[in-house]
Amino acid sequence: MEEHKKDGNLSEKGSGIIWLLFLIYAAGYFAIAGFLRKQEYAWLLLDGFSLSVSVILLIRYRFPGRKGIVLSIVLAAIYLLSCIPIFSVFQAGKCILVFLSAAASCSVFEHFPEGSLQWVRQEKKGSVLLSILIGIAAGIVLGAVNYLLMRSNNPIAPADVPGAFLLSLSPAVLEEVSFRTVFYAFCLGSIGRKLTGRFEKFSGWFMMTVPHILPHISIDPAHGIIEIAVSWLIMLALYVLIFALAFAVLQKKRDILSAMIAHGLVDFIRFMIFGIPM
């Protein structure tokens, strides 16, 4: 009885930390996007949120073992390659964020293997190939949806294949690892065990979808408060249901590799049709 009560107290404390940090992040987003009207800075805020979560986890759980370190270095190197088409020192510097968020996630998954996400599913022969095929299939479907959503407001301006491919590695790695995986790891590390209760599971799904979506949504001050709120909620729901939830499901139900492939392919299709954003 005492152990159950103690576990419940730790769970409540962990959930409180998760939501407190998210509310601080959300308040910063609304201040930046709504009051300052500096939408581009919302991405910097997300970088800072991910970095903060990663550092908190690394302080608590330390760096992972050798395999985790190697994986983190490889992911950071892949992200660095994505910076070649539109190189800037600032963007290239985000490889540090990728390394830290990957290392933090690996460390938490080592401590709590029962509740962890799988980087690459390998329990059966052909599992890796199946993950790749699932990622490609999901990427083609979501890429087609993204094309239909973008075609009315964006001119056709095809990019070169090598440049589009390299740049697509950025969302595949940065957004899936630093803006999704590490936030789930934060939930797992804060609760201190596999997420079991409804609220704990909801917190995990929420953190894997909503924080990354917020910088995608701008706030138009030209309308009234009610119109702004309704429009914002509709956009949030659409982004979460069409894209974020799909990638989160791939991470949770399959592996992180399939989600990375799907996400990268969506953006590769976008760049090949509408060009590389400058």
Side-chain angles (χ1 to χ4, degrees), residues 120-141:
V120 183
R121 190 178 288 270
Q122 302 181 59
E123 72 272 16
K124 295 180 182 179
K125 185 177 180 180
S127 291
V128 176
L129 177 60
L130 183 57
S131 291
I132 293 172
L133 294 176
I134 289 173
I136 291 173
I140 291 173
V141 172

Side-chain angles (χ1 to χ4, degrees), residues 45-66:
L45 180 67
L46 181 59
D47 291 339
F49 183 43
S50 177
L51 180 61
S52 300
V53 165
S54 301
V55 170
I56 289 171
L57 291 176
L58 288 172
I59 290 174
R60 183 171 184 180
Y61 294 105
R62 308 301 179 187
F63 278 90
R66 182 177 178 181

